[in-house]
Amino acid sequence: MPPIPGSGLAKGLAVTLRTMTKKTVTAQYPDTQPELPPRSRGVIGLFEENCTVCMLCARECPDWCIYIDSHKETSPPAAPGGRERSRNVLDRFAIDFSLCMYCGICIEVCPFDALFWSPEFEYAETDIHELTHERDKLREWMWTVPEPPALDPGAEEPKEIAAARKAADKLAVQRAQEQQEQQEPWQQQDENGGTP
């Protein structure tokens, strides 16, 4: 049987009428901010104090969009007769977000937790050269990094926290002993009538 002329138009108008009566689900973006998932990838933040200039992030980056410059500084020995220590000092840390493909390899390979994902995504620029964020700009993104999720209550305590707690307990016992030793001469003085 041949199709009735105009049936396609009628079906299209029926779909249009059905959708006209439903509530819209389009979010008006600039006025309404989207609800992002907790692990969304927006921009990379740098926690500069943790960076040891190991260059792992720059070497593993498939796009070669991380630029790092550093120099070595020597510090005097901690004890007399010791040797001088040298360490790398960060001069420049920049990420070119016009090249970055947001794979997250740099964050995964960083052994010192210096790079983090921030959910911020509104950093568009009119000039492509301004998409290269230097370390000052990357440090500002750290304020927007969400806190890590809480550990499982039944999970084992991290080794770092256990070691720090053990050291703190040992120090507290040592301080308590020192205070007790300082109080003993005064107690003997009181018992002997004012003379030690």
Side-chain angles (χ1 to χ4, degrees):
M1 176 174 176
I4 302 171
S7 63
L9 179 65
K11 286 181 183 178
L13 287 173
V15 170
T16 304
L17 288 173
R18 270 199 313 267
T19 56
M20 278 178 54
T21 58
K22 292 183 180 176
K23 185 178 177 183
T24 60
V25 292
T26 303
Q28 302 301 322
Y29 162 62
D31 301 327
T32 307
Q33 291 294 321
E35 291 183 18
L36 299 172
R39 295 183 60 176
S40 60
R41 297 181 176 190
V43 71
I44 297 170
L46 171 69
F47 189 55
E48 191 175 332
E49 289 77 13
N50 285 358
C51 184
T52 61
V53 196
C54 66
M55 306 285 277
L56 273 175
C57 54
R59 277 186 268 151
E60 295 294 327
C61 180
D63 291 331
W64 294 87
C65 64
I66 299 176
Y67 311 110
I68 300 175
D69 291 332
S70 67
H71 70 275
K72 285 195 181 278
E73 280 186 1
T74 56
S75 57
R83 67 181 180 99
E84 292 182 339
R85 303 280 179 176
S86 65
R87 67 182 188 96
N88 289 329
V89 177
L90 186 66
D91 291 331
R92 180 182 186 221
F93 194 106
I95 300 177
D96 188 353
F97 285 105
S98 65
L99 296 176
C100 182
M101 65 180 183
Y102 303 92
C103 63
I105 292 175
C106 56
I107 295 169
E108 295 295 322
V109 300
C110 182
F112 301 104
D113 289 334
L115 297 173
F116 295 92
W117 279 119
S118 168
E120 293 294 320
F121 61 92
E122 297 173 314
Y123 53 94
E125 301 287 346
T126 55
D127 185 10
I128 196 168
H129 298 293
E130 293 177 12
L131 283 173
T132 301
H133 293 182
E134 297 292 333
R135 69 181 184 174
D136 296 333
K137 184 72 171 171
L138 295 173
R139 190 184 308 120
E140 289 176 19
W141 292 120
M142 278 303 297
W143 293 105
T144 61
V145 172
E147 288 188 21
L151 295 176
D152 184 18
E156 186 177 308
E157 186 177 49
K159 294 176 187 174
E160 296 87 357
I161 294 176
R165 183 173 287 121
K166 185 177 178 182
D169 292 343
K170 186 177 179 181
L171 185 64
V173 168
Q174 190 177 23
R175 285 186 181 167
Q177 287 176 349
E178 289 174 0
Q179 285 179 351
Q180 187 177 8
E181 289 173 1
Q182 289 176 353
Q183 291 176 355
E184 283 179 6
W186 295 106
Q187 290 174 354
Q188 289 176 356
Q189 190 176 12
D190 292 339
E191 291 171 3
N192 295 337
T195 58

